[in-house]
Amino acid sequence: TQDLKEESRWEVDFAFPREIVAGFPFEGALTLKNTAATAKYNPTITVYSSRLKPSTSQFMLGVLPPQGSTKILLDFKRTPWFSNFPDTLEVSVDGQTFNHSVIIKPIFLKFWPWIGGGLIGVATLVFFAFKARRLLFQRRFRQNNLHRQGHES
């Protein structure tokens, strides 16, 4: 049993965002490390997700020496524009499984603080611009009325 455990020791590092914008393709990388004391020959890597679709879901590597690592670039097809759901990327390496959770959000939810802040900022600027304009016209109207009253008397 010790030999079996030694044979299947892997580490996987996910370089993927936690939040993904719906409607756009996205990419990331997996760093696969052989932590066993022996070399691995032709390990099979399978990438699975219930809703996200990778362009390639199965990889076969050549030789990976002890403590050796390799980086696998993955790109995923776009999801529908209004997708809003959590999902899990599941990577299986020679029977060992690793997971990474992601959340897919529509663009307006992901950037809502920026959009909302921008709208509030623009509304505030417009309000003060109209207020200043109104005060300016009232001041001119009063000056014109005072000027007219001075000429009439």
Side-chain angles (χ1 to χ4, degrees), residues 12-16 20 26-32 43-61 71-77 87-102:
V12 174
D13 181 37
F14 291 87
F16 284 93
I20 298 164
F26 70 97
E27 57 187 31
L30 298 172
T31 302
L32 181 66
T44 302
I45 296 99
T46 305
V47 179
Y48 172 78
S49 172
S50 61
R51 293 183 173 173
L52 300 173
K53 304 297 174 218
S55 58
T56 305
S57 61
Q58 198 160 25
F59 302 88
M60 186 174 267
L61 301 178
K71 188 179 238 181
I72 300 170
L73 299 176
L74 294 172
D75 56 320
F76 289 79
K77 298 173 182 168
D87 203 359
T88 302
L89 298 176
E90 188 176 288
V91 175
S92 177
V93 185
D94 285 346
Q96 216 176 343
T97 303
F98 303 89
N99 295 315
H100 178 75
S101 298
V102 294

Side-chain angles (χ1 to χ4, degrees), residues 3 8 12 24 27 31 39 43 51 56 59 71 74 77 85 89 94 104 109 126 128 135 137 139 146 152:
D3 294 334
S8 61
V12 174
F24 295 98
E27 57 187 31
T31 302
R51 293 183 173 173
T56 305
F59 302 88
K71 188 179 238 181
L74 294 172
K77 298 173 182 168
F85 56 84
L89 298 176
D94 285 346
I104 293 82
L109 286 181
V126 168
F128 284 118
L135 287 173
F137 281 130
R139 190 175 293 152
L146 289 175
E152 289 176 3

